[in-house]
Amino acid sequence: MNIRFFNGTILTLENGTELSSGEVWVFDHLIGYVGKPQDNNIKWDREINLNGNLIMPGFKDAHTHSAMTFLRSFADDLPLDKWLNEKVFPMEARLNDDLIYAFSKIAIMEYLTSGITSNFDMYISPNPVIQASIDCRFRTVMTGGLNNFTQTVEEIDECYKKYNGYNPLISYELGFHAEYTCSRELLEGMASIAKKHQAPVFCHNSETKKEVKECLDRYGTTPTVFLDRLGMFNYGGGGYHCVHMTKDDISVFEKHGLSVVTNPGSNAKLASGVAPISKFMKKGINIAIGTDGPASNNCLDMFREMFLTTSLAKLKEKDASAVDANEVLKMATLGGARAMGLRNCDTLSRGKLADLIVIDLNQPNMQPINNITKNLVYSGSKQNVVLTMVNGNILYEKGEFNIGEEPEKIYETANKMLAKIK
Amino acid sequence: MNIRFFNGTILTLENGTELSSGEVWVFDHLIGYVGKPQDNNIKWDREINLNGNLIMPGFKDAHTHSAMTFLRSFADDLPLDKWLNEKVFPMEARLNDDLIYAFSKIAIMEYLTSGITSNFDMYISPNPVIQASIDCRFRTVMTGGLNNFTQTVEEIDECYKKYNGYNPLISYELGFHAEYTCSRELLEGMASIAKKHQAPVFCHNSETKKEVKECLDRYGTTPTVFLDRLGMFNYGGGGYHCVHMTKDDISVFEKHGLSVVTNPGSNAKLASGVAPISKFMKKGINIAIGTDGPASNNCLDMFREMFLTTSLAKLKEKDASAVDANEVLKMATLGGARAMGLRNCDTLSRGKLADLIVIDLNQPNMQPINNITKNLVYSGSKQNVVLTMVNGNILYEKGEFNIGEEPEKIYETANKMLAKIK
């Protein structure tokens, strides 16, 4: 499909948050042109008048567990350990691949409504999550959820080989659940696979104080330093959450060029704490933003996460100038793409993958217009997302989904399945 | 107009957050019936099939400065005093009533998109704010913004007499800006008017640590206790923000039945702190939620404020079970109505004013369905608001406004006016 977007306000993210006006041409799955209107004799399948609205790269949800939509608002307002052990784990034990597939589809729909064009997903069974993305034509970077009870080092190795090159929409990064859910043996196994593939490794890291304390008790050092000593991060990677980080931990991230994936909504709702974003920024560490899964958030909304990333940093540092919103916008796009290894879908530039969104500026929350990029972070909302394109396909437009199955059918299937396991 | 909503999921808020299914009938500006379907020979102007979607009382935005849309994203990521003195005040000095009217209309549109059916507004000039609401058919409770530079005690007295009974959509509560912007003489004047009318009084209170410290230096006591000693709260009222509150302050609120209006988004973005919501709840103090103005938030979104109210409390108390979401939902509706003196538009009940909203449950952020009221707080979004009715009039439906003027015209006027004063 050849699609021409014209009459747009353009945020390429090539030059910070600078805006321009003009056209974006999409040829099949690639961006073919970004710039001023020019004569052409291209046969367009669609020509879309943006009426001055904003066109920009899609958001990257850099940490999530899509299938956990089935636990959305299932058990809130409980202490963390009760929530996890009495509510989440017993329900997850009843899952199978069909259920994971059905519940993941709802998450994909929600990503699309929030202008999210790809996700970095970790779950107990990767196959149905990946299949849901392929069937919806959504882009997913999957990572391993290895722990003492689920998946093995060999399985992770197999997945790495199987899913890289499997489908243009899918890639796979090495990963394990967390230090506190993996034996030392498992972790050493992971480090050896990282070495074998010379590949980055991702995991939950220092999400709670308890986790850090237990690692200190167990190994005499923090999770980050301990994992680094095993050689886990010799080829890069990153950590999800990174709330309770010491100076040494931050140095490890700096040394290996690791990415921090911050999850402010989940960290707030579960009372885990606020990540030291300014400290990471000062060290030049790549920062990405994730929603975490819908069991702990409970929504998959990059606008809410962006607002939280800056406003919680401001609260933490008692400084209204902390963590500029334009930096947060870059985290939600460029930072995510870098963490997820999506080098080819970061900016809105010729030759990049056509993962892009259109933001309606003719809504009251954007008016009158003083500063469009700050509006995205401070007053933007799902309501402003009028179009979401992944890999050149328009999957969401003006409230309508184009993902191969009717929304009503997806909801009905998911609710029926949920009723069975409750 | 006689309007019948049928096939709905109903949250009346009469019995906590209990849900039922059935119909809601609106006759002119009042709710005529809520319950199971029943035979009738009423001539309906409209019959709306809710398809199982939720119908509930509208949200009350219990503290805002509508006209400040003109400063939305105008000056963010600055320290508080620089933001206020170098950016906000010089721009506000250029305002006139025409501008305030135009900028207020954009706020009203935004309230409607967020399911907000009335606002508690404080601004330097009340008349154009009130006129904008009347022209849009929106409900506004106005309060005085008295300070050393704007408005006088006599003007507040006049407004109180003029605007109560002025229009069915408008009421007026006594108010002043804050202790730190009013001389003792002014404050004593306010207290005497409160006595004269036996009326409640509202003001910004203990928003920042600096404000409390300066009052301690000036009068040897906190703002709340100082104002109470002047007799300010003998007939009730409340405080906006209430972030830095002592035990004695909370006792004053308890003693006089005052309302706390919390503004978590603004308090976070300006790095002011987190209000002690659980402490207020334990004392049975009425709590309402406000967005504050769009200069400091920067949006007028009750969904974001509800999520922040509970999640910031959880962070503050390091307890994921703090401030249950169902309580937050009551704050955003019943709590607001009580603070604003809107006794007649709190619940969805026969004889109450028809200020109500319809929430689309057939959106991915609400699916699959485990708990609808928790979804509202934890995953709800403007995207779910499909209809907003104020005083029996449908002012917003499926993205379209019905407020007497076209949105494009309102944006155009506001942007032109903004360009002139920049």
Side-chain angles (χ1 to χ4, degrees):
Chain A
M1 291 266 282
N2 295 337
I3 299 176
R4 173 179 172 240
F5 295 96
F6 65 101
N7 200 10
T9 303
I10 304 175
L11 174 65
T12 64
L13 288 171
E14 283 174 354
N15 312 300
T17 50
E18 203 177 282
L19 298 170
S20 60
S21 60
E23 311 209 342
V24 175
W25 298 355
V26 174
F27 302 139
D28 193 23
H29 62 291
L30 295 178
I31 295 167
Y33 174 75
V34 179
K36 295 287 158 209
Q38 59 177 29
D39 291 339
N40 67 83
N41 51 12
I42 296 157
K43 196 175 146 28
W44 297 108
D45 296 290
R46 270 192 78 184
E47 296 183 82
I48 298 173
N49 187 345
L50 295 174
N51 290 311
N53 283 328
L54 183 72
I55 185 164
M56 63 174 282
F59 298 118
K60 276 77 186 170
D61 188 343
H63 177 54
T64 180
H65 312 284
S66 296
M68 294 182 87
T69 51
F70 81 112
L71 293 177
R72 188 202 305 281
S73 300
F74 173 70
D76 305 299
D77 304 309
L78 291 173
L80 183 59
D81 54 340
K82 219 171 174 173
W83 170 77
L84 203 59
N85 293 309
E86 295 179 21
K87 299 288 180 176
V88 175
F89 289 156
M91 282 292 279
E92 279 193 325
R94 293 174 207 157
L95 287 178
N96 61 36
D97 279 7
D98 288 347
L99 275 69
I100 293 175
Y101 176 85
F103 298 142
S104 293
K105 274 199 165 178
I106 288 178
I108 291 167
M109 293 173 70
E110 197 177 349
Y111 298 137
L112 294 173
T113 64
S114 189
I116 293 167
T117 52
S118 54
N119 66 327
F120 201 178
D121 210 299
M122 176 195 281
Y123 211 51
I124 44 182
S125 181
N127 195 54
V129 180
I130 286 170
Q131 198 55 50
S133 285
I134 291 172
D135 291 352
C136 293
R137 301 186 291 168
F138 190 71
R139 192 181 307 284
T140 289
V141 181
M142 198 74 208
T143 187
L146 176 73
N147 61 59
N148 292 331
F149 309 101
T150 318
Q151 304 180 345
T152 63
V153 173
E154 291 69 32
E155 277 170 36
I156 301 290
D157 192 24
E158 282 307 308
C159 283
Y160 187 82
K161 289 183 280 192
K162 176 179 172 184
Y163 290 120
N164 285 312
Y166 183 77
N167 183 293
L169 291 166
I170 304 300
S171 55
Y172 189 94
E173 296 286 0
L174 297 181
F176 59 97
H177 180 264
E179 177 279 325
Y180 66 98
T181 50
C182 292
S183 66
R184 186 178 185 128
E185 197 188 345
L186 273 189
L187 295 172
E188 286 170 345
M190 271 304 301
S192 72
I193 295 183
K195 190 172 174 188
K196 176 176 150 189
H197 296 294
Q198 305 204 351
V201 182
F202 296 83
C203 64
H204 293 99
N205 189 345
S206 306
E207 179 178 358
T208 65
K209 266 195 177 162
K210 184 167 175 262
E211 170 193 339
V212 175
K213 191 191 170 297
E214 284 176 1
C215 186
L216 281 164
D217 292 346
R218 202 162 23 238
Y219 300 116
T221 183
T222 60
T224 304
V225 171
F226 172 68
L227 294 168
D228 183 40
R229 286 184 189 160
L230 298 181
M232 194 68 83
F233 301 126
N234 287 352
Y235 306 93
Y240 309 124
H241 298 289
C242 301
V243 175
H244 303 281
M245 301 281 283
T246 65
K247 219 174 150 180
D248 286 347
D249 295 338
I250 295 174
S251 294
V252 169
F253 271 64
E254 203 185 350
K255 181 175 69 177
H256 293 297
L258 307 185
S259 292
V260 162
V261 181
T262 187
N263 305 91
S266 169
N267 298 155
K269 184 165 179 281
L270 294 177
S272 306
V274 178
I277 301 296
S278 290
K279 283 188 188 168
F280 300 141
M281 286 173 76
K282 269 177 207 137
K283 295 291 182 183
I285 291 167
N286 181 52
I287 303 170
I289 303 177
T291 56
D292 205 2
S296 58
N297 188 317
N298 301 352
C299 73
L300 307 168
D301 181 351
M302 191 53 77
F303 295 99
R304 188 161 93 183
E305 296 306 317
M306 290 196 293
F307 180 79
L308 288 170
T309 298
T310 179
S311 62
L312 293 183
K314 286 165 163 58
L315 270 180
K316 184 184 178 83
E317 296 172 36
K318 299 185 174 63
D319 176 5
S321 69
V323 183
D324 189 297
N326 283 338
E327 295 305 313
V328 174
L329 189 59
K330 288 189 244 168
M331 294 173 198
T333 49
L334 306 181
R338 189 170 152 196
M340 293 157 74
L342 296 173
R343 283 172 200 82
N344 230 4
C345 56
D346 47 0
T347 59
L348 215 62
S349 317
R350 188 179 167 180
K352 296 276 184 178
L353 291 166
D355 285 18
L356 57 84
I357 58 176
V358 177
I359 299 289
D360 190 357
L361 302 177
N362 292 297
Q363 287 287 337
N365 65 330
M366 294 283 170
Q367 293 285 336
I369 291 183
N370 280 306
N371 189 321
I372 289 171
T373 56
K374 298 246 168 161
N375 272 352
L376 286 172
V377 174
Y378 286 126
S379 67
S381 149
K382 285 178 174 177
Q383 161 208 22
N384 300 102
V385 177
V386 281
L387 184 148
T388 306
M389 172 184 272
V390 178
N391 212 41
N393 296 309
I394 297 172
L395 303 188
Y396 179 73
E397 189 175 5
K398 292 180 184 161
E400 302 290 324
F401 296 90
N402 179 20
I403 52 170
E405 193 178 354
E406 287 306 309
E408 293 68 28
K409 183 80 191 139
I410 294 174
Y411 300 149
E412 195 192 329
T413 304
N415 279 302
K416 273 187 190 162
M417 286 179 165
L418 177 61
K420 273 190 198 163
I421 59 168
K422 254 186 180 174
Chain B
M1 293 266 282
N2 295 337
I3 299 176
R4 172 179 172 240
F5 295 96
F6 65 100
N7 200 10
T9 303
I10 304 174
L11 174 65
T12 65
L13 288 171
E14 283 174 353
N15 311 301
T17 49
E18 203 176 280
L19 298 171
S20 60
S21 60
E23 311 209 343
V24 176
W25 298 356
V26 174
F27 302 140
D28 192 25
H29 63 290
L30 295 177
I31 295 167
Y33 174 75
V34 180
K36 295 286 158 209
Q38 59 175 28
D39 291 339
N40 68 83
N41 51 12
I42 296 157
K43 196 175 145 29
W44 297 108
D45 296 289
R46 271 191 77 183
E47 296 182 83
I48 298 174
N49 187 345
L50 295 174
N51 291 311
N53 283 328
L54 183 72
I55 185 165
M56 63 173 282
F59 298 118
K60 277 78 186 170
D61 188 343
H63 177 55
T64 180
H65 312 284
S66 296
M68 293 183 87
T69 51
F70 81 112
L71 293 177
R72 187 203 305 280
S73 300
F74 173 70
D76 304 300
D77 303 309
L78 291 173
L80 182 59
D81 53 341
K82 217 170 175 175
W83 170 76
L84 203 58
N85 294 309
E86 295 179 23
K87 299 288 180 176
V88 175
F89 289 157
M91 282 292 279
E92 279 193 327
R94 293 174 207 158
L95 288 178
N96 61 36
D97 279 8
D98 288 347
L99 275 69
I100 294 175
Y101 175 86
F103 297 141
S104 293
K105 274 198 165 177
I106 288 178
I108 291 167
M109 293 172 70
E110 197 178 348
Y111 298 136
L112 295 172
T113 64
S114 189
I116 293 167
T117 53
S118 53
N119 67 326
F120 201 177
D121 210 299
M122 176 194 281
Y123 211 51
I124 43 181
S125 181
N127 195 54
V129 180
I130 287 171
Q131 197 56 49
S133 285
I134 292 172
D135 291 352
C136 294
R137 301 185 291 169
F138 190 71
R139 192 181 305 286
T140 289
V141 181
M142 197 75 208
T143 187
L146 176 73
N147 62 58
N148 292 332
F149 309 100
T150 318
Q151 303 181 346
T152 63
V153 173
E154 292 68 33
E155 278 171 35
I156 301 290
D157 192 24
E158 282 307 309
C159 283
Y160 187 81
K161 289 183 281 191
K162 177 179 173 186
Y163 290 121
N164 285 311
Y166 181 78
N167 182 294
L169 291 166
I170 304 300
S171 56
Y172 188 94
E173 296 287 0
L174 297 180
F176 58 97
H177 180 264
E179 177 278 325
Y180 66 99
T181 50
C182 292
S183 67
R184 187 179 183 126
E185 197 188 346
L186 273 189
L187 296 171
E188 286 169 346
M190 272 303 302
S192 72
I193 295 183
K195 192 174 173 187
K196 176 176 151 191
H197 296 294
Q198 305 203 353
V201 182
F202 296 84
C203 64
H204 292 100
N205 189 345
S206 306
E207 179 178 358
T208 65
K209 265 196 177 163
K210 184 166 174 263
E211 169 194 339
V212 175
K213 191 193 168 296
E214 284 176 1
C215 186
L216 280 164
D217 292 346
R218 199 159 27 237
Y219 300 117
T221 183
T222 60
T224 304
V225 171
F226 171 68
L227 294 168
D228 183 40
R229 286 184 189 160
L230 298 181
M232 193 69 82
F233 300 127
N234 288 352
Y235 305 94
Y240 309 124
H241 299 288
C242 300
V243 175
H244 303 281
M245 301 281 282
T246 66
K247 219 174 152 181
D248 285 348
D249 295 339
I250 295 174
S251 293
V252 169
F253 271 65
E254 203 185 350
K255 181 176 68 178
H256 292 298
L258 306 185
S259 291
V260 162
V261 181
T262 187
N263 305 92
S266 170
N267 298 155
K269 185 166 178 282
L270 294 176
S272 306
V274 178
I277 301 295
S278 290
K279 283 188 188 167
F280 300 141
M281 287 173 76
K282 270 178 206 137
K283 295 291 182 183
I285 291 167
N286 182 51
I287 303 170
I289 302 177
T291 56
D292 205 1
S296 59
N297 187 317
N298 300 351
C299 74
L300 308 168
D301 181 350
M302 191 52 77
F303 295 99
R304 188 161 93 182
E305 297 305 316
M306 289 196 294
F307 180 79
L308 289 170
T309 298
T310 178
S311 62
L312 293 183
K314 286 164 163 58
L315 270 181
K316 185 184 178 81
E317 296 172 36
K318 298 185 174 65
D319 176 6
S321 69
V323 183
D324 189 298
N326 283 337
E327 295 305 313
V328 173
L329 189 59
K330 288 190 245 169
M331 294 174 197
T333 49
L334 306 180
R338 190 171 151 196
M340 294 157 74
L342 296 174
R343 283 171 201 82
N344 232 2
C345 56
D346 47 0
T347 60
L348 214 63
S349 318
R350 189 179 166 179
K352 296 277 184 176
L353 291 166
D355 287 17
L356 56 83
I357 59 177
V358 177
I359 298 289
D360 190 356
L361 302 178
N362 293 298
Q363 287 287 338
N365 65 331
M366 294 284 171
Q367 293 284 337
I369 292 183
N370 280 306
N371 188 323
I372 289 171
T373 56
K374 299 246 167 160
N375 272 352
L376 286 171
V377 174
Y378 286 127
S379 67
S381 150
K382 285 177 173 176
Q383 160 208 22
N384 300 102
V385 177
V386 281
L387 184 146
T388 305
M389 172 184 272
V390 179
N391 212 40
N393 296 310
I394 297 172
L395 303 188
Y396 178 73
E397 189 175 5
K398 291 180 184 161
E400 302 290 324
F401 296 91
N402 179 21
I403 52 171
E405 193 179 353
E406 286 307 309
E408 293 68 28
K409 183 82 191 135
I410 294 174
Y411 300 149
E412 194 192 330
T413 305
N415 279 302
K416 274 187 190 163
M417 287 180 164
L418 177 61
K420 273 190 198 163
I421 59 168
K422 254 187 181 172

